[in-house]
Amino acid sequence: SQTIHQWPATLVQPVGSPLSLECTVEGTSNPNLYWYRQAAGRGLQLLFYSVGIGQISSEVPQNLSASRPQDRQFILSSKKLLLSDSGFYLCAWSRGGSSYNEQFFGPGTRLTVL
Amino acid sequence: QKEVEQDPGPLSVPEGAIVSLNCTYSNSAFQYFMWYRQYSRKGPELLMYTYSSGNKEDGRFTAQVDKSSKYISLFIRDSQPSDSATYLCAMSGGSNYKLTFGKGTLLTVNP
């Protein structure tokens, strides 16, 4: 069976500090990978998605970036955090290709920027 | 007009009630429809997945899609306190890897 991991679960960071959130998927190959941010009252916002190693599509211009160094690893980064980066960050995966639409979410990372 | 509209609630019902959750959408290209359940401070969990119009039943849950009205529903029978969560609808046109989500409805089932 497939499993998705995210860490850390909770993070408190000062404004201007760097960020690195990691997501890994087990039990599948060549998944599509996604990063979302969920802010209170604003729903799920797609930040990045990736259909393969090194292939990143950005949905929202901002000070965040994503990388996919390995098939089942997805990393969300920032060089300098802003207060507005606070939120609940979710990684998700779907089966490779465009024919499968169900996405499966990880447990999330709650980020507070002070 | 937003692509997907979902009443945020909150919705509060007594245990055992039948719950109806709904979403409307404007994009006629949507073909795949999903419902997710999200407990507080957890990631969303896929609950139901349907394709095209019709009903799909899984235990106490029934998902209904009416493409002609651009309207989808999730029914929960014999609701339990453990059903208390936020329910998110999601949909896709099928070929662009992306889902469009509603903002979620917060449901509380009171014992």
Side-chain angles (χ1 to χ4, degrees):
Chain A
S1 64
Q2 298 84 16
T3 310
I4 180 168
H5 303 279
Q6 280 187 252
W7 63 91
T10 306
L11 194 58
V12 180
Q13 292 284 94
V15 169
S17 64
L19 173 73
S20 182
L21 303 181
E22 189 164 343
C23 170
T24 59
V25 180
E26 296 176 356
T28 188
S29 297
N30 196 31
N32 299 324
L33 297 171
Y34 307 83
W35 277 113
Y36 289 88
R37 177 169 58 206
Q38 189 175 37
R42 297 190 62 184
L44 279 165
Q45 181 186 33
L46 179 63
L47 302 175
F48 301 94
Y49 70 93
S50 171
V51 300
I53 295 173
Q55 300 178 63
I56 308 295
S57 296
S58 174
E59 289 293 302
V60 182
Q62 58 207 331
N63 69 322
L64 299 172
S65 63
S67 61
R68 185 171 177 173
Q70 299 180 45
D71 181 43
R72 290 169 290 172
Q73 183 185 29
F74 206 21
I75 297 172
L76 182 69
S77 304
S78 173
K79 292 182 179 178
K80 287 186 178 182
L81 284 168
L82 306 173
L83 285 173
S84 58
D85 290 324
S86 293
F88 191 42
Y89 287 82
L90 290 156
C91 181
W93 73 274
S94 66
R95 289 178 177 82
S98 61
S99 300
Y100 300 98
N101 300 276
E102 309 103 296
Q103 291 181 18
F104 303 93
F105 286 84
T109 294
R110 190 159 301 277
L111 172 66
T112 303
V113 182
L114 301 175
Chain B
Q1 183 183 11
K2 292 180 182 176
E3 274 197 300
V4 179
E5 300 268 12
Q6 183 176 10
D7 186 341
L11 182 62
S12 182
V13 301
E15 184 175 354
I18 296 174
V19 176
S20 173
L21 304 166
N22 311 293
C23 287
T24 59
Y25 63 94
S26 58
N27 188 342
S28 57
F30 288 147
Q31 302 176 59
Y32 302 91
F33 304 92
M34 282 141 272
W35 286 95
Y36 287 84
R37 177 175 62 194
Q38 186 176 20
Y39 291 115
S40 179
R41 306 182 76 84
K42 303 289 186 184
E45 167 195 3
L46 181 63
L47 204 55
M48 298 287 283
Y49 172 80
T50 55
Y51 169 69
S52 196
S53 288
N55 291 358
K56 181 176 181 180
E57 188 174 322
D58 184 0
R60 297 184 295 110
F61 299 89
T62 299
Q64 191 173 78
V65 174
D66 182 348
K67 290 188 72 179
S68 62
S69 301
K70 297 189 178 67
Y71 188 89
I72 68 170
S73 300
L74 178 70
F75 298 97
I76 307 174
R77 291 185 300 281
D78 187 24
S79 56
Q80 303 295 309
S82 58
D83 295 327
S84 298
T86 296
Y87 289 80
L88 300 152
C89 64
M91 44 201 80
S92 168
S95 61
N96 64 358
Y97 309 102
K98 293 186 279 188
L99 297 180
T100 301
F101 285 87
K103 289 193 174 181
T105 300
L106 177 60
L107 170 67
T108 301
V109 181
N110 301 297

